[in-house]
Amino acid sequence: MKLVPLWTDVLVWLLVAVLAGYAWYAHRRPHLAAPWRRVSRSNAGMASLVVIGLFAAVGLTDSIHYHPLLPGTQAGAPPVYSVEARSLLDDLLTPLWSRSEKTYSAPLAIRSYSRETVELPGGEVRREFPRLRYGGRHVADERERDRDVVLTVLQGLAWGAMAWATLAAVWVTVLARLRRVTVQTMARRILRRETQVAWIAVFVTLLVAALIVTPVALLAGGYHVFGTDKVGQDVLYLALKSVRTALVIGTLTTLIMLPFAVLLGIAAGYLRGWVDDVIQYVYTTLNSIPGVLLIAAAVLMMQVYIDSHPERFPTAVERADLRLLFLCMILGVTTWTGLARLLRGEALKLRELEYIQAARAFGVRDTRIITRHILPNVMHIVLISLVMDFSFLVLTEAVLSYIGVGVDPTMNSFGTLINNARLEMARDPIVWWTLAAAFGFMFVLVLSANLFADAVRDAFDPRVRVGQAAAEGAG
């Protein structure tokens, strides 16, 4: 195979490296590690982090693209690669995308959702719901479908419980060795909540995930778990492919907006004067422009550029990837104003504190004061805003793709699924499973991000900690 380094793939893995570097840096400094320890003691925070980690695993496996080697290449001849760009997730989900039906089929169905004219062996012509080519093909007698589904689910639950028990036992053993205690002692501490990490919440969330994922995986081997769309594509595959788009929008946009918000917000609050006036004028002007119209105009301009220079984008995946990156850039440019306002207000307050005034009196340069004193004291606002903006950006992508100015129509996203389901909901009989799948995946992702944002806010915001301490003291 031949790797294809898409722009968003490179930026996603760069972001992973930055997060790993920050984790290592924070672990070596107690004042940075203390708030994250408070997050680790939160049941809701750790449970939501596990769910986000599962979504991130799907997104990262879908962020490794390559051109597969064409079959039939002779030995000694130069390799010939396909023009199609696949991802590692596509390889893992080959049974899903390679088994397309003719048209709609309901979840776990063995017959099509639409009637077709079928000629019977005796020459009689009848309109009926034909059997699917792949869904439930292993079930010879249709009356055995329900029994087969129930047995597969029970088997999946058993395998999921066994996998969870094995993982939990291994992890408790590793923790016991790291703490130099016996396994029984470590398990007792976890059950009594005497550890610094809410391991019970982690294990319970993993158990629920295992009891859901394993039966679905087994059912997907013989059925279309979430049905198929108009062209017969498996909806479960489309939903899983949409996860990467949501994660890219939520993470890369924050990565793009962060320099604008931090630099301009702190500069406006600390320097004041004409610098403050100019920056306020800029973000007030941006806020006065309807965001949807600005994004739509920018995306359409990029689409015109792509259509005018097709030689620069040899594959549809690269064209869609560039549009996704440009959408992240536009969202980043239009969403930095809120964080900049918060940082400006905080910098205005910090610049009047005594130690800042003393540093200025001793002739310390403004750049050093900003980097050594102002920036560290506003990082809790930055972290809280970034985590909370993630959910907003995921929903924004869904809305933009729904109205046709979001990602490329050929790219899978939750907004694209919802847009496709718009007409399906109006047909008779109604096709509901595409919308349900998109809504379910997006709901779980956004809910987990919101719960994790609440845990981060409680851990990093000093006002929340003071309020909690006062409440505990009064109690």
Side-chain angles (χ1 to χ4, degrees):
M1 65 179 181
K2 179 182 179 182
L3 291 178
V4 182
L6 300 178
W7 282 104
T8 54
D9 290 346
V10 174
L11 292 176
V12 164
W13 287 105
L14 177 62
L15 181 60
V16 171
V18 170
L19 292 177
Y22 171 76
W24 177 81
Y25 181 81
H27 178 71
R28 297 171 61 89
R29 286 159 176 79
H31 68 284
L32 295 178
W36 290 111
R37 291 194 183 97
R38 287 190 287 270
V39 174
S40 67
R41 289 193 290 267
S42 170
N43 291 323
M46 293 306 296
S48 58
L49 183 61
V50 171
V51 177
I52 294 174
L54 295 176
F55 277 99
V58 174
L60 291 178
T61 54
D62 201 18
S63 296
I64 303 176
H65 289 85
Y66 67 94
H67 289 303
L69 183 66
L70 289 178
T73 303
Q74 298 180 355
V80 179
Y81 299 97
S82 172
V83 296
E84 177 188 9
R86 294 182 187 172
S87 68
L88 184 59
L89 182 66
D90 291 328
D91 289 343
L92 298 176
L93 301 180
T94 299
L96 297 182
W97 63 262
S98 62
R99 301 180 307 170
S100 297
E101 306 291 349
K102 289 184 179 181
T103 183
Y104 297 112
S105 65
L108 301 176
I110 61 177
R111 287 188 174 272
S112 177
Y113 200 64
S114 303
R115 291 181 181 272
E116 295 181 11
T117 302
V118 179
E119 183 177 354
L120 301 180
E124 180 184 359
V125 177
R126 180 187 304 175
R127 288 188 59 81
E128 63 177 19
F129 301 100
R131 283 289 299 262
L132 298 176
R133 289 185 295 177
Y134 300 102
R137 183 175 56 180
H138 62 286
V139 180
D141 189 352
E142 297 184 28
R143 294 172 296 182
E144 296 293 324
R145 195 282 304 266
D146 295 341
R147 178 175 178 273
D148 180 71
V149 170
V150 171
L151 291 179
T152 304
V153 170
L154 293 177
Q155 183 182 2
L157 293 175
W159 280 107
M162 291 173 58
W164 173 84
T166 303
L167 177 63
V170 171
W171 191 246
V172 172
T173 303
V174 172
L175 292 176
R177 291 186 177 181
L178 292 176
R179 300 294 185 273
R180 296 182 179 181
V181 297
T182 62
V183 176
Q184 292 78 7
T185 302
M186 193 69 228
R188 194 179 305 113
R189 290 180 181 178
I190 293 176
L191 293 176
R192 294 178 179 176
R193 305 178 186 274
E194 298 175 354
T195 57
Q196 294 183 351
V197 180
W199 289 116
I200 292 182
V202 173
F203 289 141
V204 170
T205 307
L206 288 175
L207 175 60
V208 174
L211 296 181
I212 294 175
V213 173
T214 310
V216 169
L218 292 181
L219 285 173
Y223 299 93
H224 299 291
V225 180
F226 289 156
T228 57
D229 63 0
K230 186 176 182 179
V231 296
Q233 290 181 300
D234 192 281
V235 175
L236 175 60
Y237 169 75
L238 299 178
L240 291 174
K241 291 287 289 184
S242 301
V243 171
R244 176 184 181 270
T245 304
L247 295 179
V248 168
I249 291 288
T251 54
L252 293 189
T253 302
T254 57
L255 185 65
I256 293 170
M257 65 169 278
L258 192 59
F260 293 98
V262 173
L263 294 178
L264 298 180
I266 294 178
Y270 178 77
L271 299 177
R272 298 198 301 183
W274 67 269
V275 175
D276 187 17
D277 294 338
V278 171
I279 294 175
Q280 284 194 75
Y281 177 79
V282 171
Y283 66 61
T284 302
T285 303
L286 278 176
N287 286 336
S288 65
I289 303 174
V292 175
L293 295 180
L294 183 61
I295 294 171
V299 170
L300 292 176
M301 290 172 59
M302 171 55 64
Q303 189 62 42
V304 170
Y305 174 81
I306 293 175
D307 294 339
S308 303
H309 301 82
E311 71 279 358
R312 300 183 181 180
F313 312 100
T315 62
V317 173
E318 293 175 307
R319 291 193 293 271
D321 181 75
L322 181 63
R323 178 165 170 172
L324 175 62
L325 177 61
F326 192 74
L327 179 62
C328 293
M329 295 174 60
I330 295 300
L331 287 174
V333 170
T334 56
T335 57
W336 63 270
T337 56
L339 179 56
R341 282 181 171 179
L342 293 176
L343 296 180
R344 174 183 175 273
E346 192 70 12
L348 284 172
K349 181 182 69 175
L350 292 174
R351 77 183 305 274
E352 302 300 332
L353 297 180
E354 295 180 354
Y355 70 94
I356 300 292
Q357 296 293 333
R360 297 181 65 185
F362 279 107
V364 180
R365 292 177 299 178
D366 290 337
T367 55
R368 186 171 181 83
I369 293 176
I370 291 176
T371 56
R372 295 287 299 229
H373 301 293
I374 302 294
L375 184 59
N377 284 283
V378 300
M379 283 307 296
H380 68 282
I381 297 178
V382 175
L383 290 174
I384 294 171
S385 299
L386 292 183
V387 177
M388 297 187 70
D389 285 345
F390 176 85
S391 302
F392 167 76
L393 293 170
V394 172
L395 296 176
T396 299
E397 180 277 325
V399 173
L400 293 176
S401 298
Y402 175 76
I403 62 178
V405 295
V407 299
D408 191 87
T410 61
M411 174 171 285
N412 296 306
S413 72
F414 294 128
T416 304
L417 287 178
I418 295 173
N419 187 30
N420 294 335
R422 175 170 54 91
L423 298 177
E424 297 173 355
M425 297 293 290
R427 74 186 302 274
D428 186 26
I430 187 173
V431 177
W432 53 268
W433 47 86
T434 303
L435 179 62
F439 176 80
F441 274 81
M442 190 165 58
F443 172 78
V444 174
L445 177 59
V446 172
L447 178 62
S448 302
N450 287 337
L451 292 176
F452 185 69
D454 290 341
V456 172
R457 182 200 60 195
D458 295 341
F460 279 85
D461 194 342
R463 293 172 297 181
V464 175
R465 298 202 303 270
V466 171
Q468 291 176 346
E472 293 176 359

